[in-house]
Amino acid sequence: MDKRELILKAALILFNTYGFESTPTARITKEAGVATGTLFNYFKSKEELINVLYLTCKESLTRHLSLGLEQETTFRSKLKKIYINYIGWSLDHTDEFLFFQQFCNASCIGETTRKEGLSKFNNIIELIAEGIEQEIIKNVNLDYMSNLLMSILNANTYYFIDNPSLAANDAFLETSFSFLWDSIKK
Amino acid sequence: MDKRELILKAALILFNTYGFESTPTARITKEAGVATGTLFNYFKSKEELINVLYLTCKESLTRHLSLGLEQETTFRSKLKKIYINYIGWSLDHTDEFLFFQQFCNASCIGETTRKEGLSKFNNIIELIAEGIEQEIIKNVNLDYMSNLLMSILNANTYYFIDNPSLAANDAFLETSFSFLWDSIKK
DNA sequence: ATGCAAAATGACTAAACGGTCAATATTATT
DNA sequence: AATAATATTGACCGTTTAGTCATTTTGCAT
């Protein structure tokens, strides 16, 4: 297997478990089964490594979020599709989801990386803006609405990760979505 | 001023800004204006320092949450009182609130400390349980409901911290509370 | 087989860290 | 004023860290 991939995979799990500063590069390379120097052949520094990891995760997530979105017709069904996609991706990529939660606001992630990551959510922000304009959801500041949505979404996702069997339960999926929808609908 | 207090105060801000691992004890003592050894006279280790900080913050918060709660009669008004108290405390103790958000799940906080901290929320959890029993709010798992509530509460609090002038606006306070209430009410 | 470029290695280094402790300063007691 | 008790200090130490680089191994073209 590609040694770069092995390093990224080991780093993902170790960063999740011990945090960025408490994970020595020597530990990462040991876990990946490569020499200490190899990490620095592929990444300029430990910081570059975690930034690459961050963007890789975010790309994987955003790619999945829009899947099948064009088939939905109403605002609610579009939002629910994104909701289902988000939870589905998180269950399939638990380590990536948890990494993301832990490091999305960490100072080891550079400002450039963070901005690049945020831009990938633009189409979803636009959808929310439409919902406000069409008076389907409450009329508040777009930033406020986005952050609130993400908070509820993440809270629900954590619950599905702790109880993965529930994800196959359409009734509970709808119930959990109702917490989000009832909160924002007009 | 008490040197112990100076150390706690400096640590709070530095941990917020740079994180636990990226804040050398030497930096804390320098900022506090005391010698490096002084920190270890008051705290056995850097870890004990952050655990004390955690419990201090949590105590201050929970003391304020129940203020005036006995005067409220309905479930909704009780919850709103807690809501207002939480946001009020967070605005008055922004550093403590942010510290809390960053470190409530961090591994540097010991299991004992975390459990001690959680127990302080017991009366609020009980209130939520009553709301479920009395069929005022949706009937779901108590843990799920608690986590969801905290998520919405924190999302709203962040917004008030970014826009402190809104906290004096009763209409917006009610609007923001409606995001929480509409989400959970039956 | 041979030569060669690219990839991988791990012993090594300079810097930074948490924590110690003997010495010093401050405060309280008589 | 003398003494004892307590609080404070910062030079110092052993350990750990990210990152380097001369050397070795690998894979491929001829």
Side-chain angles (χ1 to χ4, degrees):
Chain A
M1 199 192 196
D2 184 11
K3 305 213 169 193
R4 200 184 113 107
E5 285 301 315
L6 287 170
I7 292 167
L8 282 169
K9 206 166 185 170
L12 177 69
I13 292 176
L14 289 169
F15 285 157
N16 270 354
T17 312
Y18 304 104
F20 178 68
E21 304 283 348
S22 297
T23 303
T25 53
R27 182 101 189 256
I28 298 170
T29 53
K30 193 183 169 188
E31 201 77 22
V34 301
T36 62
T38 307
L39 192 152
F40 296 96
N41 292 340
Y42 289 105
F43 307 97
K44 201 175 71 213
S45 66
K46 195 185 173 187
E47 285 228 331
E48 185 180 297
L49 168 62
I50 199 170
N51 277 271
V52 167
L53 213 42
Y54 178 88
L55 277 185
T56 309
C57 286
K58 190 115 192 187
E59 267 167 35
S60 164
L61 168 59
T62 45
R63 251 201 318 278
H64 281 73
L65 280 191
S66 305
L67 249 52
L69 197 59
E70 66 287 349
Q71 290 164 22
E72 306 298 333
T73 51
T74 70
F75 177 81
R76 190 189 194 275
S77 70
K78 275 182 193 164
L79 196 64
K80 183 160 179 190
K81 187 75 189 180
I82 292 171
Y83 179 81
I84 300 284
N85 284 346
Y86 189 88
I87 288 168
W89 180 85
S90 300
L91 285 170
D92 288 344
H93 304 80
T94 306
D95 290 328
E96 282 89 342
F97 171 79
L98 294 175
F99 172 82
F100 207 68
Q101 294 299 311
Q102 186 172 359
F103 293 102
C104 62
N105 289 315
S107 59
C108 52
I109 302 296
E111 216 43 56
T112 320
T113 304
R114 205 186 310 281
K115 278 196 179 135
E116 197 176 332
L118 270 179
S119 72
K120 296 181 194 302
F121 267 145
N122 277 346
N123 52 342
I124 293 164
I125 304 283
E126 276 173 34
L127 179 68
I128 297 168
E130 282 175 36
I132 294 176
E133 269 175 41
Q134 295 170 18
E135 302 193 343
I136 298 168
I137 59 177
K138 289 171 183 163
N139 180 22
V140 290
N141 182 289
L142 189 56
D143 271 349
Y144 173 73
M145 181 63 90
S146 309
N147 285 323
L148 190 96
L149 267 172
M150 285 309 299
S151 291
I152 300 181
L153 187 44
N154 285 325
N156 283 354
T157 305
Y158 272 116
Y159 195 69
F160 279 107
I161 284 176
D162 287 340
N163 306 277
S165 63
L166 286 174
N169 182 339
D170 277 349
F172 188 76
L173 268 173
E174 175 57 30
T175 300
S176 70
F177 181 69
S178 82
F179 279 86
L180 193 160
W181 182 251
D182 292 347
S183 177
I184 65 170
K185 76 151 188 273
K186 212 153 196 169
Chain B
M1 198 193 197
D2 184 12
K3 305 215 171 193
R4 200 184 112 106
E5 285 303 313
L6 287 171
I7 291 166
L8 282 169
K9 206 165 186 170
L12 177 69
I13 291 175
L14 289 169
F15 285 158
N16 271 353
T17 312
Y18 304 104
F20 178 67
E21 305 283 348
S22 297
T23 303
T25 53
R27 181 100 189 255
I28 298 171
T29 53
K30 192 184 169 189
E31 202 76 22
V34 301
T36 63
T38 307
L39 191 152
F40 296 97
N41 292 339
Y42 291 105
F43 307 97
K44 202 175 70 213
S45 65
K46 193 185 173 187
E47 286 228 330
E48 186 180 296
L49 168 61
I50 198 169
N51 278 271
V52 167
L53 214 43
Y54 178 89
L55 277 185
T56 309
C57 286
K58 189 116 193 188
E59 267 167 36
S60 164
L61 169 59
T62 46
R63 250 200 321 278
H64 281 72
L65 280 192
S66 307
L67 250 51
L69 197 59
E70 66 287 348
Q71 291 165 22
E72 305 297 333
T73 51
T74 69
F75 177 82
R76 189 189 195 277
S77 70
K78 277 183 192 162
L79 197 64
K80 184 162 178 189
K81 188 75 186 182
I82 293 172
Y83 179 83
I84 300 284
N85 284 346
Y86 189 88
I87 288 168
W89 180 86
S90 301
L91 284 170
D92 288 343
H93 305 80
T94 307
D95 290 328
E96 283 88 341
F97 170 78
L98 294 175
F99 172 82
F100 208 68
Q101 294 299 310
Q102 186 171 358
F103 292 103
C104 63
N105 290 314
S107 60
C108 51
I109 304 295
E111 216 44 55
T112 321
T113 305
R114 205 187 309 280
K115 279 196 178 134
E116 198 177 330
L118 270 180
S119 73
K120 297 182 193 302
F121 267 146
N122 277 346
N123 52 343
I124 292 164
I125 304 283
E126 276 171 35
L127 179 67
I128 297 168
E130 282 174 35
I132 294 176
E133 268 174 44
Q134 294 170 19
E135 301 194 345
I136 299 168
I137 59 177
K138 289 172 184 164
N139 180 23
V140 290
N141 183 289
L142 190 56
D143 271 350
Y144 173 73
M145 182 62 90
S146 311
N147 285 324
L148 190 95
L149 266 173
M150 286 309 300
S151 291
I152 300 180
L153 188 44
N154 286 325
N156 282 355
T157 306
Y158 272 116
Y159 194 69
F160 279 107
I161 285 178
D162 287 341
N163 306 277
S165 63
L166 286 175
N169 181 340
D170 277 349
F172 188 76
L173 269 174
E174 173 59 29
T175 300
S176 71
F177 181 68
S178 80
F179 278 87
L180 193 160
W181 181 251
D182 293 347
S183 177
I184 65 170
K185 77 153 189 271
K186 213 154 195 167

